[in-house]
């Protein structure tokens, strides 16, 4: 437990001092602040723009960052051989992976919290009526980050960063539209329908964690819906992390 | 008591490229390092030194054979409970400060917060880096980085320290520090395993060495033994002619014979010296001087290299 703690702390320190993370974070804050200007110029419904644009920017940036951090992490450590200094301690490789994953999530959670604070300020500033779907959308985004990072760690434990990124992005896009793909595939014929149904149940369904549409439409999110999204995320993440530790167990560090 | 390091039939074949071409980095090797011993793994570049060390640290999976630290298989993390390690040309987390890096190492080594604080202070002081402890590692010079890495390996007073090319690329002061640290560790009863291609370090520090060439151990033993094989003696006989001397001795025993102003000088192998002296004295000649010549390890190394036809890198 202590080892996990110190490793996650070091990972977090590395991440926040890494220029890329900082640049992305600053960029995000600037973009969100920019929405304020945009909103002053639009004549359309202000509430909708605030929720839509703010949440959209936040999720796009956080998702990119989650993928960037998770697919690069193991390979960077292997390439620069920092991993040698860690796993030469009395610590299993599984612990190393979990600690790295926790470190990424701590960093992402802090950034998400900072962005949410800016977002909340905007909402307050423009007197947008509060709605339970707004925090739900942010919570849902966190669930997506949890799963995306786990996927990134999984794929990077067996391949290079670019392949891993392609896999994660591919699965994410498919996972966004599994429901739609399902409908289309069923219409095309029984075989594709069966494949799509299998895919629908076998692939992680990101749409279940995405509450932005409800937030934009001002619809509420029920506790059941949220728990469903959280459960999907946690379940899949566990699976991916366990897979990553198994793959990593006997890999040569060169 | 278990040996600090045990290797049995350890071999490693890397697979490279898309087609999985095989590279035999290590043929089966066996060796042991005992507690309190400084063991040198020497050999030219590409001999398999780093591969051996990586297997011991569970960084690389052996193709065949077993490796144990303190009697525990290297796959078991507990084998590394009392271990310090500095990899070849280490690149640590550059955004951490030296102090934070050492705190991380202390935490990973399982020290309590209070112990960690004392240990970090002690090792920082030992490598003379207290002044720069708060600087980020990316701002360190190569020598400073190596010092902090060494400090990390000393945390928690390990019973085994493994160093991969610890002195290469260091200035004389840095080399001196490494040597002092190794001797200090031995004095405290720790085992040290280090690999190098710098022979002067080996002769100065090691109790035993293994000469690794092309992935197999060419020779292994105490330094004195490795060198004794090739020890020769120069014998000087006064007031004698070449013919007188040769008449008393077997031709195989005499090498590099010279005659200088009524004196005959020649070389005799260590194993034949006593017989040669008896023959000379019984024959009525006067031996005025015997000088032992130790062929330096470097020569042994080069000779081994020549017989194995390996390209060698030697400093
Ligand atoms: N990751 C690797 N993949 C393929 N071959 C390797 C790898 N690492 C080392 N080798 C090969 O194994 C041999 C031994 O390398 P190494 O153990 O690094 O030697 P040394 O440390 O003695 O210089 C060399 O021929 C090297 O090319
Ligand atoms: Mg090497």
């Amino acid at each position: 437990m202590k080892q996990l703690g110190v490793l996650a702390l070091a990972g977090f320190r590395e991440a926040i001092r890494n220029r890329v993370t900082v640049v992305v974070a600053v960029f995000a804050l600037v973009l969100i602040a920019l929405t304020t200007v945009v909103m002053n110029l639009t004549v359309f419904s202000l509430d909708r723009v605030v929720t839509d644009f703010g949440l959209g920017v936040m999720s796009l940036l956080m998702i990119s960052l989650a993928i960037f951090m998770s697919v690069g992490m193991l390979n960077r450590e292997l390439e620069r051989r920092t991993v040698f200094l860690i796993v030469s301690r009395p610590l299993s490789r599984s612990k190393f992976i979990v600690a790295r994953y926790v470190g990424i999530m701590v960093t992402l959670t802090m950034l998400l919290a900072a962005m949410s604070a800016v977002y909340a300020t905007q909402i307050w500033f423009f007197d947008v009526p509060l709605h339970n779907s707004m925090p739900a959308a942010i919570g849902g985004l966190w669930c997506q980050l949890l799963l995306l990072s786990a996927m990134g760690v999984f794929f990077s434990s067996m391949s290079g960063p670019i392949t891993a990124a392609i896999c994660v992005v591919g699965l994410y896009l498919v996972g966004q539209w599994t429901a739609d793909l399902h409908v289309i595939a069923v219409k095309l014929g029984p075989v594709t329908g069966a494949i799509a149904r299998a895919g629908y149940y076998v692939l992680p369904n990101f749409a279940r964690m995405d509450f932005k549409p409800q937030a934009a439409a001002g619809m509420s999110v029920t506790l059941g819906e949220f728990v469903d999204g959280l459960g999907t995320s946690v379940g899949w993440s566990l699976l991916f992390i366990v897979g990553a530790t198994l793959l990593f167990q006997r890999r040569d560090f060169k | 008591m278990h040996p600090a390091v045990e290797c049995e039939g350890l071999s490693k074949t890397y697979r490279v490229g898309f087609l999985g071409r095989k590279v035999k980095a290590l043929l089966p090797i066996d060796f042991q390092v005992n507690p309190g011993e400084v063991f040198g793994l020497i050999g030219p570049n590409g001999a398999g030194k780093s591969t051996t060390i990586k297997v011991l640290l569970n960084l690389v999976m052996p193709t065949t054979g077993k490796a144990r630290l303190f009697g525990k298989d290297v796959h078991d993390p507990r084998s590394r409970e009392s271990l310090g390690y500095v990899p070849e040309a280490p690149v640590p987390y550059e955004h951490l400060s030296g102090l934070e890096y050492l705190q991380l190492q202390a935490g990973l080594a399982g020290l309590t917060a209070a112990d960690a604080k004392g240990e970090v202070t002690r090792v920082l002081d030992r490598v003379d880096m207290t002044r720069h402890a708060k600087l980020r590692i990316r701002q360190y010079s190569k020598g400073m980085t190596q010092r902090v890495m060494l400090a990390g390996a000393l945390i928690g007073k390990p019973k085994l320290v493994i160093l991969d090319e610890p002195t290469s690329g260091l200035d004389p002061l840095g080399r001196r520090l490494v040597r002092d640290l190794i001797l200090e560790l031995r004095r405290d009863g720790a085992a040290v395993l280090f690999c190098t291609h710098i022979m002067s370090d080996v002769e100065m520090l090691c109790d035993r060495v293994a000469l690794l060439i092309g992935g197999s151990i060419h020779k292994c033993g105490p330094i004195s033994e490795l060198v004794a094989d090739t020890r020769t003696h120069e014998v000087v006989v006064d007031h004698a002619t070449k013919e007188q001397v040769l008449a008393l001795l077997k031709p195989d025993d005499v090498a590099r014979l010279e005659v200088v102003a009524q004196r005959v000088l020649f070389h005799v192998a260590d194993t034949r010296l006593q017989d040669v002296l008896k023959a000379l004295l019984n024959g009525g000649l006067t031996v005025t001087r015997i000088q032992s010549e130790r062929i330096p390890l470097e020569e042994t190394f080069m000779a081994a290299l020549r017989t194995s036809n390996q390209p060698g890198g030697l400093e």
Side-chain angles (χ1 to χ4, degrees), chain A residues 252-254, chain B residues 12-17 21-26 41-54 60 88 164-165 195-197 212 214-215:
Chain A
D252 278 347
F253 298 159
K254 297 172 175 180
Chain B
K12 176 68 191 177
T13 305
Y14 285 110
R15 300 217 163 232
V16 291
R21 193 170 55 84
K22 290 180 180 178
V23 175
K24 284 189 179 176
L26 221 49
L41 208 51
I42 62 176
N45 292 326
K49 306 182 294 291
S50 298
T51 301
T52 308
I53 284 181
K54 285 181 196 167
V60 156
E88 189 172 5
D164 196 339
E165 308 268 356
C195 78
T196 187
H197 54 265
L212 203 58

